Amino acid sequence: MSYKSEYSAQDVTPKHLFLNRRQLMAGAAGLLAAPAFAGTSPYSTDEAPNSYEDITTYNNYYEFGYDKTDPAQYAEALTIDPWSVKVDGLVDKPGTYSLADLIADMPIEERIYRFRCVEAWSMIVPWQGFQLSALLQKLGVQAGAKYVVFETVVRPAEMRGQTGGMIQWPYREGLRLDEAMNPLAFMATGLYGKPLPKQSGAPIRLVVPWKYGFKSAKALVRISLVAEEPQTTWKMLAPNEYGFYANVNPQVDHPRWSQATERRVGGGLFAGRIDTQMFNGYGDQVASLYTGQDLTKDF
Ligand SMILES: Nc1nc2c(c(=O)[nH]1)N[C@H]1C(S)=C(S)[C@@H](COP(=O)(O)O)O[C@H]1N2
Ligand SMILES: [Mo]
């Protein structure tokens, strides 16, 4: 089944125009799901996206609790305007940027990606946003930078899960610089043509479609360019279960379950499991990043 984006530039529906107008009137916040989509990307899958309902009511976001329904129930408490992102480390233009300044000149497009959680469920998600590479180019990566680190906001008064639990906040993730520069690595600011919902990581999150979902950190407030492989949340918690690379790999099982197959969320009670693909099906674009690496060790 194939899906034609409602939001492509070639197909300007009244709904699209309405969204533009409303978003423009809403000011900076509205620009986050910016109006000028370049059309469906060659990087998008033509599989049918999950419903908005599926995508925004079945979430992992431990800052709001451990249950899949906690984020939809509690994320509304997070203040996302104003929002700023600190950029530091080995970068030409460090500083604390307002979100609007950070993304002002980024080319916004739609990417319909497969999304595969390490827990062996998956979805198809129509994101809007921009390539991480465009942002890194604008910030100016210095020689010596080898990794990009991402940190989520820490705000226990608004994030009820941050008042306890086993995670050492902030939630943090990282990519090797060549992974971050791959055209698939994406910064999402919108979903289904609307500003990103809070439970999905508003106002800005990472999306790395060939890696397990935990790499795709939400509600980013800090991006650092560093020389050494950074500490990352799930590896800190259980290094024998979750590695730094976390590439989707049906041949490397989690110590407690198989990664060979996955359950597509929203498939219904009687839908069968589907085979998990190497690199979540993005091998043509990313396999060369790992030439010479043993992915059973660098899992
Ligand atoms: N800050 C933060 N980012 C996070 C998480 C989290 O708990 N906190 N969970 C991760 C995990 S395990 C997954 S599977 C995805 C889920 O994204 P979704 O809820 O939009 O599907 O977010 C990732 N990003
Ligand atoms: Mo996950």
Side-chain angles (χ1 to χ4, degrees):
M1 187 174 173
S2 99
Y3 164 83
K4 172 103 173 57
S5 169
E6 270 185 84
Y7 307 105
S8 70
Q10 296 96 311
D11 179 25
V12 181
T13 62
K15 184 175 174 200
H16 182 225
L17 291 172
F18 168 74
L19 278 171
N20 283 355
R21 251 172 68 77
R22 203 189 55 183
Q23 284 164 359
L24 287 171
M25 290 187 303
L31 292 174
L32 300 183
F37 301 128
T40 300
S41 161
Y43 298 112
S44 289
T45 175
D46 60 7
E47 291 166 86
N50 278 84
S51 67
Y52 187 82
E53 173 86 5
D54 284 346
I55 296 168
T56 58
T57 59
Y58 187 92
N59 299 98
N60 275 338
Y61 200 166
Y62 296 107
E63 284 85 341
F64 295 105
Y66 289 106
D67 289 340
K68 293 285 182 285
T69 51
D70 284 338
Q73 194 176 349
Y74 299 116
E76 204 40 55
L78 182 65
T79 306
I80 57 167
D81 187 13
W83 193 267
S84 56
V85 178
K86 181 178 173 183
V87 174
D88 62 357
L90 299 166
V91 67
D92 292 337
K93 296 175 184 155
T96 299
Y97 292 79
S98 73
L99 183 61
D101 286 346
L102 189 78
I103 71 170
D105 40 4
M106 293 294 103
I108 302 290
E109 57 179 302
E110 179 171 74
R111 294 281 176 93
I112 305 168
Y113 279 161
R114 285 182 290 279
F115 188 89
R116 192 344 181 135
C117 174
V118 74
E119 298 162 336
W121 53 264
S122 64
M123 294 198 205
I124 307 290
V125 186
W127 306 106
Q128 290 82 42
F130 53 91
Q131 283 187 195
L132 176 56
S133 64
L135 179 61
L136 294 175
Q137 259 149 26
K138 152 171 154 166
L139 298 173
V141 177
Q142 295 184 343
K146 295 269 178 329
Y147 294 88
V148 190
V149 192
F150 303 87
E151 283 182 16
T152 294
V153 70
V154 178
R155 215 177 279 161
E158 296 181 352
M159 300 174 116
R160 66 205 307 273
Q162 283 184 335
T163 52
M166 34 175 210
I167 294 176
Q168 250 179 272
W169 312 106
Y171 191 97
R172 63 198 94 191
E173 261 308 334
L175 296 171
R176 216 170 53 196
L177 185 59
D178 59 343
E179 297 179 315
M181 294 301 290
N182 187 277
L184 288 173
F186 200 64
M187 298 289 269
T189 54
L191 172 71
Y192 260 112
K194 300 177 188 156
L196 198 59
K198 292 182 182 178
Q199 59 268 44
S200 303
I204 185 166
R205 74 168 303 168
L206 181 63
V207 181
V208 192
W210 72 96
K211 292 176 180 283
Y212 291 123
F214 67 82
K215 297 297 289 182
S216 296
K218 298 180 173 183
L220 301 176
V221 291
R222 186 176 177 191
I223 299 172
S224 312
L225 277 295
V226 301
E228 308 290 336
E229 184 184 299
Q231 297 265 44
T232 51
T233 290
W234 286 96
K235 190 174 176 183
M236 288 164 77
L237 280 168
N240 58 320
E241 300 189 9
Y242 309 101
F244 175 78
Y245 284 94
N247 291 312
V248 174
N249 189 339
Q251 282 141 35
V252 177
D253 286 338
H254 187 278
R256 293 182 281 127
W257 59 85
S258 167
Q259 296 291 24
T261 64
E262 64 201 51
R263 175 179 66 87
R264 182 61 54 82
V265 171
L269 266 183
F270 303 102
R273 295 181 70 86
I274 56 182
D275 287 343
T276 289
Q277 303 177 68
M278 187 66 203
F279 298 115
N280 202 24
Y282 297 101
D284 286 352
Q285 291 96 326
V286 301
S288 63
L289 292 169
Y290 308 103
T291 306
Q293 266 181 277
D294 178 352
L295 296 181
T296 63
K297 276 199 321 188
D298 290 342
F299 62 89

